[in-house]
Amino acid sequence: MALRVPCIWWLRQPQYLSRMVQCRSLSTATQDDEVVVTDLNGVRTIRMNRPDKLNAWTASMMLRLRKVFAEASEDSAVSAAIITGTGRYYCAGVDLSATLKPMHPKALFDMIETNNRALFDSYLDFPKPIIVCANGPMVGASLTSATLCDAIVAVNEATFSTPFAALGVPPEGCSSVHFERIMGSKAANRMLGEEGWRPTAAEALDVGLIDAVYDQSAALTQAQALAEQWIVTKKPREIKGESWAERRLELKAVNAAESHALATAFLSADFIERQRKFLEDKGKDRQAKMFYWLGATRPLWSLLL
């Protein structure tokens, strides 16, 4: 998803060159509204609830998800979990325009690295079986995080996209290592590389990215039935078929390295230029011009990193 920065007046004022600017989200939803939690027969369903924005993650939404995972981990009444979305998308990735805040460039770098690492660690640290029910397309971090769960079931209309190469950023969510283990090198390279392959549900099932495909009306019911079955059989936590106990710490180390690389990339000249071109191609000339000036002034503010 493109990084939208609607206000760049500071670019013309030297005293503000140490700031990266983001206009605040216009949404009035609370954190509880953005993530809805329900319980049934020992299964906690976590539903992303921002359908007007395709469930794209805001900073508050990601904090809420981390809190919900922590609470479910400690709740003895919860034996398994499902995560899904409201509306036609599972999640359109991270809404950067509703995530980044005005701050010193070095503080921004640290925030990106820390928050990215904490988000994926919350999935990796969750000790109970968890199913992702993809009710629609999955983009970026919402997909890579899903592969850190036990299983992914999807509706027929779902697609799966990791447009990191197009955005000029490195893979995250452990996908630099984990995708190849799940799908093999060919499919992993197609998704993570310049091709930016976006498989359909049937194609994703064929390469092993997901585990089952259902009609829209049946998917969540099937996920609930599977979670309840796991409770009965006392299934241990896994990471897409691999031992959670054996892989968790290794993948947390991968996540730490990827998070540092991601923060570096977000403030790079390449990322800024790709954002400018993306917005220009979309006909968003005003936003494209903002990125032009952001790139033009980078030699100044990058000294503060």
Side-chain angles (χ1 to χ4, degrees), residues 110-121:
D110 292 342
M111 184 197 76
I112 294 170
E113 180 177 12
T114 299
N115 288 352
N116 191 79
R117 182 175 180 178
L119 174 67
F120 293 110
D121 275 356

Side-chain angles (χ1 to χ4, degrees), residues 282-297:
K282 292 289 185 179
K284 299 181 178 181
D285 295 335
R286 182 182 175 188
Q287 293 95 323
K289 186 176 290 186
M290 296 171 191
F291 274 92
Y292 168 80
W293 286 110
L294 189 60
T297 59

